[in-house]
Amino acid sequence: MPTKQHDSKRKILDAALRVIRAKGYEAATVEDICSSAGLTKGSFFHHFKGKEDLALAAAEHFSSYADELFRHAPYRDASDPLERVLGYVDFRRQILRGSLPEFTCLLGTMVQETYETHPAIRAACDRHISAHASFVAEDLEAARHRYVPDATWSAEGLGLFTQAVLQGAFVLAKAKGGPAVAEESLVHLRRYLELLFRQPMTTEGAPEHVDAE
């Protein structure tokens, strides 16, 4: 019985990822999610108090899946931290596959709708997005130390910037109905990172002057 209950809960969480990414948090109903999971509302309320409770669990479920995906991605095997940084961007491009709900971010989708009306969901989305940014920042800091130790920017801020580009890219992909614009945005992000690690930046964000030899 415990195994069956665990399986039904996972099915509901997987369905929540699909439905909320497709319809948004407010438009997604418990009925929609149960239908997608192939389960009854009785099963839903056995595991969750309501839609907000489900959203919090779905944010955790989505983030756990993402953590596993990125920690075991092929680019993690690179010994050079800059290769891992650029490999991260390349990997993000590789997984822009399938329909929009399959590659866009549950956290970004939910927080855009709920940042004022559902503080618990906003806080959960912030926590998980920030945790992923910190994961990326570990390699950014190692690369900064090796290649541009005098740079004045912070790895933490740059890690959050990578997520800002990604979330914006997902919004544009939804607006334009496909992943092409998101992929192009990641190409620009990679180019920016390559330039950043060749030349330190000032606090204003402009390249420091380098005299020609």
Side-chain angles (χ1 to χ4, degrees), residues 143-154 158 192-210:
R144 187 195 67 80
H145 181 75
R146 176 177 292 191
Y147 290 101
V148 285
D150 296 328
T152 56
W153 49 263
S154 73
L158 187 56
Y192 173 72
L193 291 169
E194 289 173 339
L195 291 170
L196 194 63
F197 282 98
R198 288 179 190 158
Q199 188 176 50
M201 305 292 279
T202 67
T203 54
E204 290 76 22
E208 293 180 351
H209 177 70
V210 178

Short mmCIF file of all heavy atoms in Angstrom, two decimals, residues 143-154 158 192-210:
data_model
loop_
_atom_site.label_atom_id
_atom_site.label_comp_id
_atom_site.label_asym_id
_atom_site.label_seq_id
_atom_site.Cartn_x
_atom_site.Cartn_y
_atom_site.Cartn_z
N ALA A 143 35.96 29.72 -11.98
CA ALA A 143 36.48 30.25 -13.25
C ALA A 143 36.99 31.68 -13.07
O ALA A 143 38.01 32.06 -13.65
CB ALA A 143 35.39 30.20 -14.31
N ARG A 144 36.29 32.47 -12.28
CA ARG A 144 36.75 33.84 -12.01
C ARG A 144 38.12 33.82 -11.34
O ARG A 144 39.03 34.58 -11.71
CB ARG A 144 35.75 34.57 -11.11
CG ARG A 144 36.04 36.06 -10.91
CD ARG A 144 35.27 36.64 -9.75
NE ARG A 144 35.71 36.08 -8.50
CZ ARG A 144 36.81 36.48 -7.85
NH1 ARG A 144 37.58 37.43 -8.35
NH2 ARG A 144 37.16 35.90 -6.72
N HIS A 145 38.28 32.95 -10.35
CA HIS A 145 39.54 32.84 -9.62
C HIS A 145 40.68 32.42 -10.56
O HIS A 145 41.80 32.94 -10.44
CB HIS A 145 39.38 31.82 -8.49
CG HIS A 145 40.63 31.64 -7.67
ND1 HIS A 145 41.06 32.57 -6.75
CD2 HIS A 145 41.55 30.63 -7.65
CE1 HIS A 145 42.18 32.16 -6.20
NE2 HIS A 145 42.49 30.98 -6.72
N ARG A 146 40.38 31.55 -11.50
CA ARG A 146 41.45 31.06 -12.39
C ARG A 146 41.76 32.04 -13.51
O ARG A 146 42.94 32.26 -13.83
CB ARG A 146 41.04 29.72 -13.01
CG ARG A 146 42.05 29.19 -14.03
CD ARG A 146 41.68 27.82 -14.58
NE ARG A 146 41.77 26.78 -13.57
CZ ARG A 146 41.69 25.47 -13.84
NH1 ARG A 146 41.53 25.07 -15.10
NH2 ARG A 146 41.77 24.58 -12.88
N TYR A 147 40.75 32.67 -14.11
CA TYR A 147 40.96 33.44 -15.33
C TYR A 147 40.95 34.95 -15.14
O TYR A 147 41.68 35.66 -15.85
CB TYR A 147 39.92 33.05 -16.38
CG TYR A 147 40.13 31.66 -16.91
CD1 TYR A 147 39.35 30.58 -16.44
CD2 TYR A 147 41.12 31.39 -17.85
CE1 TYR A 147 39.54 29.31 -16.91
CE2 TYR A 147 41.33 30.11 -18.32
CZ TYR A 147 40.54 29.07 -17.85
OH TYR A 147 40.75 27.79 -18.31
N VAL A 148 40.11 35.47 -14.24
CA VAL A 148 40.03 36.92 -14.07
C VAL A 148 39.96 37.25 -12.57
O VAL A 148 38.97 37.79 -12.08
CB VAL A 148 38.82 37.52 -14.82
CG1 VAL A 148 39.07 37.58 -16.31
CG2 VAL A 148 37.54 36.72 -14.54
N PRO A 149 41.03 36.93 -11.83
CA PRO A 149 40.98 37.10 -10.37
C PRO A 149 40.78 38.54 -9.92
O PRO A 149 40.35 38.77 -8.78
CB PRO A 149 42.35 36.57 -9.93
CG PRO A 149 43.22 36.67 -11.14
CD PRO A 149 42.32 36.40 -12.30
N ASP A 150 41.07 39.51 -10.77
CA ASP A 150 40.89 40.91 -10.40
C ASP A 150 39.53 41.47 -10.79
O ASP A 150 39.25 42.65 -10.58
CB ASP A 150 41.99 41.78 -11.04
CG ASP A 150 43.37 41.41 -10.54
OD1 ASP A 150 43.48 41.00 -9.37
OD2 ASP A 150 44.35 41.53 -11.31
N ALA A 151 38.68 40.65 -11.36
CA ALA A 151 37.35 41.11 -11.77
C ALA A 151 36.56 41.56 -10.54
O ALA A 151 36.67 40.96 -9.46
CB ALA A 151 36.60 40.00 -12.49
N THR A 152 35.76 42.60 -10.72
CA THR A 152 35.02 43.17 -9.59
C THR A 152 33.59 42.63 -9.48
O THR A 152 32.91 42.91 -8.50
CB THR A 152 34.97 44.70 -9.70
OG1 THR A 152 34.41 45.06 -10.97
CG2 THR A 152 36.36 45.29 -9.57
N TRP A 153 33.12 41.89 -10.48
CA TRP A 153 31.78 41.34 -10.41
C TRP A 153 31.76 40.12 -9.47
O TRP A 153 32.78 39.51 -9.22
CB TRP A 153 31.25 40.96 -11.79
CG TRP A 153 32.18 40.14 -12.64
CD1 TRP A 153 33.04 40.59 -13.60
CD2 TRP A 153 32.37 38.71 -12.60
NE1 TRP A 153 33.74 39.54 -14.17
CE2 TRP A 153 33.34 38.38 -13.57
CE3 TRP A 153 31.80 37.69 -11.83
CZ2 TRP A 153 33.76 37.07 -13.80
CZ3 TRP A 153 32.22 36.38 -12.06
CH2 TRP A 153 33.18 36.09 -13.04
N SER A 154 30.58 39.79 -8.98
CA SER A 154 30.46 38.64 -8.08
C SER A 154 29.89 37.43 -8.82
O SER A 154 29.05 37.58 -9.71
CB SER A 154 29.55 38.98 -6.89
OG SER A 154 28.20 39.05 -7.29
N LEU A 158 26.37 37.05 -11.02
CA LEU A 158 26.40 36.51 -12.38
C LEU A 158 25.57 35.23 -12.47
O LEU A 158 24.92 34.98 -13.50
CB LEU A 158 27.85 36.25 -12.81
CG LEU A 158 28.08 35.84 -14.26
CD1 LEU A 158 27.50 36.88 -15.23
CD2 LEU A 158 29.58 35.65 -14.53
N TYR A 192 28.55 36.32 -24.24
CA TYR A 192 28.83 37.28 -23.18
C TYR A 192 29.79 36.68 -22.15
O TYR A 192 30.75 37.34 -21.71
CB TYR A 192 27.54 37.71 -22.50
CG TYR A 192 27.75 38.57 -21.28
CD1 TYR A 192 28.18 39.89 -21.40
CD2 TYR A 192 27.53 38.06 -20.00
CE1 TYR A 192 28.38 40.68 -20.29
CE2 TYR A 192 27.74 38.84 -18.88
CZ TYR A 192 28.17 40.15 -19.03
OH TYR A 192 28.38 40.92 -17.91
N LEU A 193 29.55 35.44 -21.75
CA LEU A 193 30.42 34.80 -20.76
C LEU A 193 31.83 34.62 -21.30
O LEU A 193 32.82 34.82 -20.57
CB LEU A 193 29.83 33.45 -20.35
CG LEU A 193 28.54 33.52 -19.53
CD1 LEU A 193 27.91 32.13 -19.41
CD2 LEU A 193 28.79 34.11 -18.14
N GLU A 194 31.96 34.27 -22.56
CA GLU A 194 33.29 34.14 -23.17
C GLU A 194 34.04 35.47 -23.09
O GLU A 194 35.23 35.50 -22.74
CB GLU A 194 33.16 33.69 -24.62
CG GLU A 194 32.72 32.24 -24.78
CD GLU A 194 32.43 31.88 -26.23
OE1 GLU A 194 32.18 32.81 -27.04
OE2 GLU A 194 32.44 30.69 -26.56
N LEU A 195 33.36 36.56 -23.42
CA LEU A 195 33.99 37.87 -23.37
C LEU A 195 34.33 38.27 -21.94
O LEU A 195 35.38 38.86 -21.67
CB LEU A 195 33.06 38.93 -23.99
CG LEU A 195 32.85 38.82 -25.51
CD1 LEU A 195 31.73 39.77 -25.95
CD2 LEU A 195 34.14 39.13 -26.26
N LEU A 196 33.45 37.94 -21.02
CA LEU A 196 33.64 38.33 -19.62
C LEU A 196 34.89 37.68 -19.03
O LEU A 196 35.61 38.30 -18.25
CB LEU A 196 32.41 37.92 -18.81
CG LEU A 196 32.26 38.50 -17.41
CD1 LEU A 196 32.11 40.01 -17.48
CD2 LEU A 196 31.05 37.88 -16.73
N PHE A 197 35.16 36.46 -19.42
CA PHE A 197 36.32 35.76 -18.86
C PHE A 197 37.61 36.06 -19.62
O PHE A 197 38.68 35.65 -19.19
CB PHE A 197 36.05 34.26 -18.79
CG PHE A 197 35.17 33.90 -17.63
CD1 PHE A 197 33.81 33.72 -17.79
CD2 PHE A 197 35.70 33.79 -16.36
CE1 PHE A 197 33.00 33.41 -16.71
CE2 PHE A 197 34.89 33.49 -15.27
CZ PHE A 197 33.54 33.30 -15.44
N ARG A 198 37.51 36.79 -20.70
CA ARG A 198 38.72 37.25 -21.39
C ARG A 198 39.19 38.58 -20.82
O ARG A 198 40.36 38.90 -20.87
CB ARG A 198 38.45 37.42 -22.88
CG ARG A 198 38.31 36.12 -23.64
CD ARG A 198 38.03 36.40 -25.10
NE ARG A 198 37.67 35.19 -25.81
CZ ARG A 198 36.99 35.19 -26.95
NH1 ARG A 198 36.59 36.33 -27.49
NH2 ARG A 198 36.70 34.06 -27.54
N GLN A 199 38.26 39.39 -20.32
CA GLN A 199 38.58 40.75 -19.91
C GLN A 199 37.77 41.15 -18.69
O GLN A 199 36.54 41.06 -18.71
CB GLN A 199 38.29 41.72 -21.06
CG GLN A 199 38.77 43.14 -20.83
CD GLN A 199 38.52 43.99 -22.06
OE1 GLN A 199 37.43 44.01 -22.60
NE2 GLN A 199 39.54 44.70 -22.49
N PRO A 200 38.41 41.57 -17.59
CA PRO A 200 37.66 42.00 -16.41
C PRO A 200 36.74 43.17 -16.73
O PRO A 200 37.01 43.96 -17.62
CB PRO A 200 38.77 42.43 -15.43
CG PRO A 200 40.01 41.75 -15.92
CD PRO A 200 39.85 41.66 -17.41
N MET A 201 35.64 43.27 -15.95
CA MET A 201 34.68 44.34 -16.15
C MET A 201 34.75 45.32 -14.99
O MET A 201 35.06 44.95 -13.87
CB MET A 201 33.26 43.78 -16.24
CG MET A 201 33.08 42.70 -17.30
SD MET A 201 33.23 43.29 -18.98
CE MET A 201 31.60 43.98 -19.23
N THR A 202 34.45 46.56 -15.27
CA THR A 202 34.37 47.56 -14.21
C THR A 202 33.06 47.39 -13.46
O THR A 202 32.16 46.66 -13.88
CB THR A 202 34.42 48.98 -14.80
OG1 THR A 202 33.23 49.21 -15.55
CG2 THR A 202 35.63 49.16 -15.69
N THR A 203 32.92 48.10 -12.35
CA THR A 203 31.68 48.00 -11.58
C THR A 203 30.49 48.54 -12.34
O THR A 203 29.36 48.19 -12.07
CB THR A 203 31.83 48.76 -10.25
OG1 THR A 203 32.23 50.10 -10.53
CG2 THR A 203 32.84 48.10 -9.36
N GLU A 204 30.73 49.41 -13.33
CA GLU A 204 29.63 49.95 -14.14
C GLU A 204 29.22 49.00 -15.24
O GLU A 204 28.26 49.25 -15.96
CB GLU A 204 30.03 51.30 -14.76
CG GLU A 204 30.15 52.44 -13.76
CD GLU A 204 31.43 52.37 -12.95
OE1 GLU A 204 32.40 51.72 -13.43
OE2 GLU A 204 31.47 52.94 -11.86
N GLY A 205 29.98 47.91 -15.42
CA GLY A 205 29.63 46.92 -16.42
C GLY A 205 30.28 47.12 -17.77
O GLY A 205 30.03 46.36 -18.71
N ALA A 206 31.13 48.13 -17.93
CA ALA A 206 31.85 48.35 -19.19
C ALA A 206 33.23 47.73 -19.09
O ALA A 206 33.82 47.67 -18.01
CB ALA A 206 31.96 49.84 -19.47
N PRO A 207 33.78 47.25 -20.21
CA PRO A 207 35.13 46.65 -20.17
C PRO A 207 36.15 47.68 -19.70
O PRO A 207 36.08 48.85 -20.04
CB PRO A 207 35.37 46.25 -21.63
CG PRO A 207 34.02 46.18 -22.24
CD PRO A 207 33.19 47.20 -21.54
N GLU A 208 37.10 47.21 -18.89
CA GLU A 208 38.21 48.07 -18.51
C GLU A 208 39.08 48.36 -19.73
O GLU A 208 39.22 47.52 -20.62
CB GLU A 208 39.06 47.38 -17.42
CG GLU A 208 38.30 47.23 -16.10
CD GLU A 208 39.15 46.55 -15.06
OE1 GLU A 208 40.24 46.05 -15.41
OE2 GLU A 208 38.73 46.51 -13.88
N HIS A 209 39.66 49.52 -19.75
CA HIS A 209 40.50 49.91 -20.89
C HIS A 209 41.78 49.12 -20.86
O HIS A 209 42.43 49.00 -19.82
CB HIS A 209 40.81 51.40 -20.86
CG HIS A 209 41.72 51.85 -21.96
ND1 HIS A 209 41.30 51.88 -23.26
CD2 HIS A 209 43.00 52.24 -21.94
CE1 HIS A 209 42.30 52.28 -24.02
NE2 HIS A 209 43.37 52.52 -23.23
N VAL A 210 42.15 48.57 -21.98
CA VAL A 210 43.42 47.83 -22.10
C VAL A 210 44.21 48.49 -23.21
O VAL A 210 43.77 48.58 -24.35
CB VAL A 210 43.17 46.34 -22.44
CG1 VAL A 210 44.49 45.63 -22.61
CG2 VAL A 210 42.34 45.69 -21.35
#
